Amino acid sequence: MGNSALKSHLETSQKTGVFQLTGKGLQEFPEELQRLTANLRTVDLSGNKIEVLPASIGNFLQMKSLTLNSNRLTALPSELGKLKKLETLSLTGNRIQQLPPTVGQLKALRTLNLAGNQISEFPSGLGTLRQLDLLDLSRNQIQSVPAEVSELQAIEINLNQNQISVLSAEVSRCPRLKVLRLEENCLELSSIPHSILTQSQVSLFSVEGNLFEVKRLRDLEGYDKYMERFTATKKKFT
């Protein structure tokens, strides 16, 4: 992309607070954006070939939405944690293996989308994200959901298409969790904690494509209780 095109993009962004440049084959995060740290609120650089998010990302203190889907990122800088106003972080379809602990400092974060990466362990330290609504970890390589999950404030956790065979009963203690998606994993019926059905707030528990027939969920203690929540939620939206 020519310099003049980038220049006109930058001029527009200065006025709008939005910088969107998708599918242009960019190999690095545009250094020129540093001039706009004071007023950029939304950045979308999806569909490029960016391999590194620079430490200078921490300078964008007004940033509310950062989207870098379908790039080549393998890691994230710890400076990301400085973005105290960030509400949406979307990094689907990269090569990220783990998150820096500083992600737990993104106090305003509502949506964290990490679908289609190479994460093999359920990320720790996300319990500090009190505003988190959606955590999407689908299409990764996670094998177990640990007890620490109970600290999460998320309303929806998407773990479809991982390799999960262990699901901690602590997931039923997530205070706001309504939607838990675990389709196409490696769960046996015996791995499903009854407490998800009997004691949790979960009203949509999605487990198609595991190592048991979904209709066998009906045999578990608490299924009737779960169905009451499921039906009540359905009525609310119809």
Side-chain angles (χ1 to χ4, degrees):
M1 189 175 106
N3 275 351
S4 57
L6 182 58
K7 200 175 166 200
S8 70
H9 261 279
L10 289 168
E11 283 169 8
T12 308
S13 300
Q14 189 130 24
K15 295 173 192 136
T16 62
V18 177
F19 185 83
Q20 185 176 24
L21 203 57
T22 57
K24 298 291 186 207
L26 292 182
Q27 296 189 348
E28 45 190 50
F29 191 87
E31 212 176 294
E32 294 85 352
L33 288 185
Q34 287 299 321
R35 295 181 224 152
L36 302 177
T37 50
N39 43 0
L40 268 191
R41 290 186 304 279
T42 300
V43 170
D44 185 354
L45 292 165
S46 298
N48 284 294
K49 298 175 181 175
I50 298 168
E51 293 181 14
V52 176
L53 195 56
S56 56
I57 192 70
N59 300 333
F60 293 88
L61 300 180
Q62 303 305 316
M63 185 101 70
K64 284 191 168 186
S65 175
L66 178 60
T67 303
L68 285 151
N69 299 335
S70 304
N71 276 280
R72 296 179 181 176
L73 299 172
T74 55
L76 300 171
S78 59
E79 287 79 5
L80 198 60
K82 294 178 181 174
L83 306 183
K84 304 297 184 212
K85 294 187 178 181
L86 197 66
E87 294 177 6
T88 301
L89 179 57
S90 189
L91 300 163
T92 66
N94 280 280
R95 300 168 187 176
I96 296 163
Q97 294 176 11
Q98 57 186 42
L99 301 180
T102 51
V103 167
Q105 296 168 16
L106 298 171
K107 302 293 190 219
L109 202 63
R110 291 183 176 279
T111 299
L112 179 54
N113 192 339
L114 294 159
N117 278 282
Q118 295 173 9
I119 297 168
S120 56
E121 286 190 16
F122 196 95
S124 61
L126 300 181
T128 49
L129 304 176
R130 312 311 280 179
Q131 307 297 323
L132 193 64
D133 292 332
L134 170 65
L135 175 61
D136 191 341
L137 291 163
S138 59
R139 305 195 321 275
N140 277 286
Q141 297 152 20
I142 297 167
Q143 294 174 16
S144 68
V145 179
E148 193 196 346
V149 71
S150 66
E151 297 171 10
L152 290 182
Q153 297 292 320
I155 295 170
E156 175 174 343
I157 300 176
N158 187 341
L159 289 159
N160 289 348
Q161 296 180 359
N162 277 276
Q163 298 160 16
I164 296 166
S165 58
V166 177
L167 178 60
S168 169
E170 294 293 304
V171 73
S172 58
R173 297 179 59 185
C174 290
R176 301 201 305 154
L177 188 63
K178 298 280 193 290
V179 178
L180 180 57
R181 301 184 191 276
L182 283 157
E183 294 174 22
E184 295 180 47
N185 277 284
C186 307
L187 291 164
E188 303 271 3
L189 188 64
S190 57
S191 316
I192 304 292
H194 293 188
S195 56
I196 291 179
L197 303 175
T198 56
Q199 294 168 21
S200 77
Q201 308 280 319
V202 172
S203 56
L204 180 59
F205 182 46
S206 193
V207 288
E208 286 79 8
N210 278 279
L211 305 181
F212 61 91
E213 285 186 54
V214 174
K215 62 184 180 190
R216 291 187 58 205
L217 269 186
R218 295 176 204 157
D219 305 336
L220 297 184
E221 178 204 348
Y223 183 76
D224 293 347
K225 266 189 172 179
Y226 162 68
M227 281 312 290
E228 281 173 23
R229 296 193 302 271
F230 175 80
T231 309
T233 305
K234 225 173 168 185
K235 277 184 184 151
K236 212 185 288 181
F237 292 106
T238 50

